[in-house]
Amino acid sequence: MADNEKAKWTRLAALGLVMAGIGPLLILGAGLLFGLDFEGDIAFFLITAAIALSGAFLVWRFGTWGKVAGAVAGLLVGLALFWTAFGLMQPASFFDFLPGLLVLPGALIAIVASIAAVVSGRRGRATARPEGGERLGLRIVAGVVVLGAVVSGALNLFTRPTASAGDAQASVAMKDFRFDEQGYEVAGGSTVFVDNNDPFAHTFTIDELDVDEAFIAGGSKVVQIPDRPGTYVLYCKPHTSDPEDPGEEDMASRITVT
C-alpha cells in the first residue's frame, strides 16, 4: 500500500471521530465563553475530546490495530457523552443541538467505518482518495453537519423569544444551570419575568401548577402563575433527575404562591 493510499472507509472513520471530539470542545467552549462554573468538568470534556481526536489520528495513520483503536475510542466517547443526543430535540438551541449532531452520530460512524476499514484493508482495497460509497458518505455527513449548524444558529438567533420585565411582579434568572434564588414568593395570578442567561436550553416547570415553559439560550418570557396558594418545586426538566425530591446537583428551586 502506497503512502498516500488508505484502506477504504478510513477517511469516514476519521471524520466520525473528529466530529465526536469537536462536540465536547464545543460544550466546554460555550461554558467558558458564557462564564459558567465548568471548573469541575474541564478535565472530563478535555479527556473525551482527546480520546476521540487521538482515535482519529490512529485510524488515519495506522493499519488494522489503528482502526480497532479508533472503534474503541468511538465506543468510549459515545458511552461517556450519550446524553448529548438529547440536544437533537432542541434545534433552536445551538449549543445543545450541534453537540447532539456531532458526538453520538460521529461515534457511531467511527465504529462502523473503522470495522469496514479493517475488512477493506485485509482485502487490499486501498485508494489514494475517497471513492464510491465512502466519497458519498463523506459528502452527506459534511453536508448534514454544516446545514444543521447553519439552521440551528439561525433559529437560535432569530426565533428565540424575548420579553421585557415590564409590569411583572417578580423575576427569575437562569444562570450556570441554577435558578438565581433558592426560593421565590409571588402572588397568585401574577406574572414572573424569566430570563435564560445560559448558552443551553432550560425549562421553567412547576408540575403542580401545570406550568411548563421552554427557554432556548438567551430567551426570556413573562410567565403567568396560577392563583393556587402553596409552596411548589420549580425545576428545569433536562437538568433535574428527581423533580419530587431534587438534590444539590439538580437545577431546582422552590416557589411559594400567596
Side-chain angles (χ1 to χ4, degrees):
M1 186 182 299
D3 290 342
N4 65 331
E5 290 186 340
K6 306 290 181 187
K8 190 176 181 180
W9 306 111
T10 294
R11 299 166 185 85
L12 187 59
L15 175 61
L17 285 163
V18 170
M19 289 167 55
I22 292 175
L25 294 179
L26 189 64
I27 295 172
L28 180 59
L32 296 177
L33 180 65
F34 281 78
L36 306 189
D37 184 12
F38 265 22
E39 184 175 349
D41 299 312
I42 290 177
F44 171 76
F45 288 120
L46 289 179
I47 290 171
T48 51
I51 290 173
L53 296 177
S54 297
F57 171 77
L58 295 175
V59 164
W60 184 267
R61 183 68 180 82
F62 299 101
T64 298
W65 76 268
K67 277 48 171 193
V68 172
V72 172
L75 178 62
L76 292 175
V77 174
L79 290 174
L81 296 169
F82 73 92
W83 46 268
T84 58
F86 295 113
L88 292 173
M89 296 184 291
Q90 299 282 352
S93 186
F94 182 82
F95 289 111
D96 288 293
F97 180 77
L98 196 55
L101 188 62
L102 290 172
V103 177
L104 199 55
L108 292 174
I109 289 170
I111 293 169
V112 174
S114 291
I115 294 171
V118 169
V119 175
S120 295
R122 290 184 173 180
R123 293 178 177 178
R125 297 176 181 172
T127 60
R129 61 189 62 182
E131 298 177 356
E134 183 181 21
R135 180 173 59 188
L136 178 62
L138 288 167
R139 290 177 175 176
I140 291 175
V141 171
V144 168
V145 170
V146 171
L147 179 62
V150 172
V151 171
S152 180
L155 289 173
N156 201 158
L157 184 61
F158 297 113
T159 68
R160 62 187 178 191
T162 56
S164 171
D167 297 326
Q169 283 72 44
S171 63
V172 174
M174 296 182 282
K175 176 70 174 178
D176 201 10
F177 296 92
R178 292 284 184 270
F179 292 99
D180 62 339
E181 300 288 346
Q182 293 183 344
Y184 303 91
E185 184 174 315
V186 298
S190 64
T191 55
V192 176
F193 173 72
V194 184
D195 189 20
N196 181 12
N197 296 308
D198 277 346
F200 306 103
H202 295 307
T203 70
F204 182 93
T205 304
I206 310 169
D207 288 333
E208 295 88 343
L209 297 181
D210 298 321
V211 174
D212 186 20
E213 297 287 343
F215 293 80
I216 63 174
S220 58
K221 299 179 184 178
V222 174
V223 179
Q224 184 83 29
I225 303 299
D227 189 6
R228 300 183 207 166
T231 298
Y232 308 98
V233 175
L234 163 65
Y235 70 100
C236 168
K237 280 184 174 179
H239 304 116
T240 301
S241 58
D242 184 3
E244 295 184 1
D245 186 23
E248 292 184 0
E249 298 301 318
D250 290 321
M251 183 174 174
S253 181
R254 295 269 175 183
I255 185 165
T256 298
V257 181
T258 59

